[in-house]
Amino acid sequence: MTRRKKIYEGKAKILYEGPEPGTLIQYFKDDTTAFDATKKAVLEGKGVINNRISEYIMTRLNSIGVQNHFIKRLNLREQLIREVEIVPLEVVCRNIAAGQFSTRFGVPEGQALPRSIIEFYLKDDKLHDPMVAEEHITAFNWATTQEIDDIMALTLRVNDFLTGMFGAVGIRLVDFKLEYGRLYEGDMVRTVLADEISPDCCRLWDVQTNEKMDKDRFRRDLGNVTEAYVEVARRLGIVKQAAAGGESVH
Ligand code: ADP
Ligand code: MG
């Protein structure tokens, strides 16, 4: 195989040069980090399952007109994507209080929010991804007012779709994080969804038992992390059964 140029290595994925200009290959690692990468582990098979879940969700979002960077899955760990200029924001959408939100605002974990709330965090590990307001975003040109409007509208559409999709298989979508990018096409620039959508960046609770089926299993040392991700994929019909040898999450 020809040696591909590595463009970027992040905490959970690697980006390689793609086969054509304007494309990249996104490789899903098993590496997992939390709390500003102070907590680290390698969870065998996690990258494989996230590659599949993200493929599934991005494909379904594309089919309802939410444009994104996904082109096609290449193999177990890699997908071909369109290269975008990442908007340096982590866009968080919350339906139920949990995690940082509960700590920051004193709202008990599990309490339904009066409406979905979108928050912006600056994507900057050195600064520990501080929460930012529209004022900061536009003043520092991290995104324009138009981009913020587009991002909010798209995020609410993604939230509606994912809430229904997970709800149909007995999973509550508590919150999730998205990243967006600028896709340049000639003189045109479009805001599209990028990065990944997987249990690494969503909070997913079993509707019946409230059992966590996401990265909080890793953050809170609950065990069976990959097994829970596989169960999410199984319920969505992406994989047929739980991985051989893996303990059930129930
Ligand atoms: P990080 O540690 O920075 O979160 P990841 O391990 O998540 O990195 O690797 C993915 C990186 O690639 C992220 O920095 C993300 O912003 C970036 N990225 C995701 N999708 C695209 C894309 N379509 N084009 C360019 N960069 C992308
Ligand atoms: Mg990331």
Side-chain angles (χ1 to χ4, degrees):
M1 209 176 82
T2 50
R3 232 184 150 69
R4 289 172 314 196
K5 195 171 151 208
K6 194 192 273 190
I7 306 283
Y8 175 84
E9 174 151 8
K11 299 185 292 292
K13 299 183 290 301
I14 304 172
L15 298 179
Y16 294 100
E17 199 172 62
E20 281 154 41
T23 65
L24 295 173
I25 291 167
Q26 191 172 40
Y27 175 99
F28 287 74
K29 301 193 282 185
D30 286 341
D31 300 15
T32 308
T33 66
F35 309 122
D36 277 335
T38 52
K39 181 171 173 142
K40 292 183 198 170
V42 177
L43 300 168
E44 204 188 320
K46 187 210 60 156
V48 174
I49 203 74
N50 278 358
N51 186 23
R52 294 291 298 272
I53 293 175
S54 203
E55 169 196 20
Y56 178 81
I57 295 177
M58 291 295 188
T59 305
R60 292 204 58 187
L61 285 172
N62 233 329
S63 75
I64 61 152
V66 177
Q67 290 170 338
N68 59 67
H69 72 165
F70 182 81
I71 302 172
K72 66 171 182 184
R73 186 167 59 84
L74 298 172
N75 54 50
L76 280 178
R77 290 188 182 270
E78 295 178 327
Q79 48 182 246
L80 184 65
I81 58 172
R82 260 177 246 290
E83 181 171 24
V84 298
E85 181 184 287
I86 291 287
V87 175
L89 298 171
E90 303 214 332
V91 182
V92 173
C93 180
R94 301 178 182 272
N95 300 308
I96 296 168
Q100 271 190 47
F101 186 94
S102 291
T103 328
R104 180 178 289 127
F105 299 114
V107 183
E109 195 155 80
Q111 187 169 308
L113 299 173
R115 61 176 172 79
S116 302
I117 295 176
I118 296 176
E119 300 171 334
F120 297 104
Y121 295 84
L122 181 64
K123 197 174 151 52
D124 188 328
D125 286 341
K126 284 191 297 298
L127 297 176
H128 315 293
D129 298 341
M131 191 173 180
V132 292
E134 270 202 51
E135 278 289 290
H136 307 113
I137 298 170
T138 52
F140 289 110
N141 282 318
W142 294 323
T144 64
T145 306
Q146 180 63 56
E147 285 175 327
I148 296 172
D149 287 351
D150 291 348
I151 286 172
M152 301 259 291
L154 284 166
T155 301
L156 290 175
R157 282 184 67 195
V158 173
N159 187 37
D160 286 345
F161 180 78
L162 292 186
T163 298
M165 184 191 83
F166 284 120
V169 297
I171 298 174
R172 197 171 279 136
L173 179 64
V174 174
D175 57 40
F176 58 94
K177 184 269 293 183
L178 300 176
E179 288 183 32
Y180 288 91
R182 302 181 183 103
L183 184 62
Y184 292 93
E185 288 172 326
D187 298 341
M188 292 277 291
V189 54
R190 259 187 304 143
T191 308
V192 299
L193 195 56
D195 204 48
E196 70 177 303
I197 302 182
S198 73
D200 266 3
C201 44
C202 300
R203 279 200 175 88
L204 304 169
W205 295 355
D206 182 274
V207 167
Q208 239 116 60
T209 63
N210 272 333
E211 193 168 8
K212 298 183 199 315
M213 306 175 77
D214 56 67
K215 193 164 139 180
D216 271 347
R217 297 200 71 84
F218 170 68
R219 292 190 192 94
R220 304 180 190 193
D221 295 320
L222 300 173
N224 291 342
V225 186
T226 308
E227 289 80 358
Y229 289 25
V230 171
E231 173 63 11
V232 171
R234 193 195 61 79
R235 289 200 197 174
L236 291 173
I238 302 168
V239 296
K240 289 238 159 42
Q241 61 202 43
E247 283 174 58
S248 161
V249 286
H250 295 294

